[in-house]
Amino acid sequence: MSKELIFKALRHEELTEYPWVPFAGVHAGKLKGYTAEEMLRNPDYIVEALKEVAKLYMPDGMPVIFDLQVEAEILGCDLMWAKDNPPSVKSHPLASDKTIPCECMIPDENAGRIPMILDAMRRTKEAVGDDIALYGLMCGPFTLASHRRGSTIFMDMMKDSDYVKDLIGYCSQVACKMAEMYIEAGMDVIAVVDPLISQVSPKHIEKMMSESFTALFDFIRMKGAFSSFFVCGNATQQIETMCKMNPDG
């Protein structure tokens, strides 16, 4: 295990071997017999499960939790919990309320499950952080905007692109705060996880998202951590545009 291998890759240095980063997610809890809900609500279970991931898979890097609904829950979305998967969003506070939340709605260290997550991060850092690069995963600004607005956001992209850009800008501020808290808790890499990016064209990304995403990656770099841009699905046509936003990986 060598987190330096991760750092070399994210500095774009020549490698003689590839780093290994299993995004174990709630599978980590399954290794110790915990359901997804049990693990994602209990820092003791998170730390115990991640120690097992470190022992079993011998990774160079790994995430502490993989739950893209943490921010949405804090910002008023109702969640549907499951035993085998992270929770899903089942309500959208802005579905019929086309507004931009004020800065007073930026989460802090006491909001929602954040205290539990920060506790798990600090303890995992102490337990395995000397050898393994720890990833703090956050919900990307576009996916978080869709959690708040619902599927209507795709119609907004056609009819009111300025609103979408402003909403994503607000969600980028939320992401910057999450990144700051995770970095202070010892995370080496901040992974911006935004699965919906694969569902929109590069043209729409450049028009409504690039400015906010670039600012987010610049903020993470300014705070002294590495960044990773993670998009689920077939993002082949979006990769060049993603790279232009200047993440480290």
Side-chain angles (χ1 to χ4, degrees):
M1 296 181 288
S2 172
K3 65 181 182 181
E4 183 57 32
L5 192 59
I6 298 285
F7 299 161
K8 287 182 67 175
L10 293 174
R11 289 194 295 261
H12 305 166
E13 297 175 6
E14 185 174 350
L15 300 175
T16 56
E17 57 181 318
Y18 294 112
W20 160 230
V21 186
F23 270 41
V26 296
H27 167 73
K30 190 175 182 66
L31 294 174
K32 300 299 293 184
Y34 302 127
T35 67
E37 183 172 4
E38 287 172 338
M39 179 186 172
L40 294 173
R41 290 181 182 274
N42 190 311
D44 295 336
Y45 296 166
I46 293 173
V47 176
E48 182 184 356
L50 292 179
K51 287 180 180 179
E52 188 67 16
V53 170
K55 175 183 173 183
L56 185 62
Y57 298 123
M58 296 183 290
D60 300 302
M62 65 180 185
V64 174
I65 72 162
F66 196 159
D67 181 351
L68 303 187
Q69 287 63 242
V70 171
E71 298 91 337
E73 182 181 30
I74 293 169
L75 297 177
C77 298
D78 294 323
L79 302 187
M80 181 183 298
W81 286 87
K83 290 184 177 181
D84 299 323
N85 297 290
S88 57
V89 169
K90 66 177 183 179
S91 71
H92 311 283
L94 298 182
S96 58
D97 179 17
K98 197 174 179 181
T99 60
I100 304 297
C102 66
E103 291 188 7
C104 65
M105 290 188 67
I106 303 294
D108 62 19
E109 295 84 352
N110 300 308
R113 285 181 285 143
I114 290 177
M116 180 273 294
I117 294 169
L118 296 179
D119 179 33
M121 286 178 167
R122 295 185 185 104
R123 291 163 58 187
T124 303
K125 182 74 171 183
E126 183 176 356
V128 301
D130 288 343
D131 301 314
I132 300 174
L134 296 180
Y135 281 61
L137 270 58
M138 66 168 63
C139 183
F142 182 41
T143 294
L144 182 55
S146 76
H147 284 334
R148 295 277 289 159
R149 179 67 170 156
S151 59
T152 307
I153 196 168
F154 291 103
M155 186 63 70
D156 294 333
M157 293 174 74
M158 309 300 292
K159 293 187 173 182
D160 193 350
S161 60
D162 287 341
Y163 169 71
V164 175
K165 185 176 181 179
D166 289 343
L167 182 58
I168 291 173
Y170 161 76
C171 292
S172 179
Q173 293 180 55
V174 173
C176 285
K177 181 61 179 179
M178 298 296 291
E180 182 177 45
M181 291 187 289
Y182 288 175
I183 292 167
E184 290 176 355
M187 297 300 95
D188 303 292
V189 184
I190 301 299
V192 178
V193 186
D194 209 313
L196 281 190
I197 287 287
S198 64
Q199 305 303 305
V200 295
S201 70
K203 179 180 68 176
H204 284 103
I205 294 171
E206 291 176 350
K207 181 177 182 180
M208 285 170 267
M209 306 174 198
S210 289
E211 183 178 338
S212 292
F213 275 83
T214 300
L216 172 56
F217 292 125
D218 287 346
F219 178 83
I220 294 168
R221 187 172 296 107
M222 183 267 292
K223 286 292 182 178
F226 291 103
S227 62
S228 176
F229 198 176
F230 186 85
V231 173
C232 308
N234 183 357
T236 305
Q237 67 173 338
Q238 290 87 358
I239 281 183
E240 182 176 353
T241 303
M242 290 164 59
C243 290
K244 290 179 181 177
M245 298 182 206
N246 208 24
D248 294 312

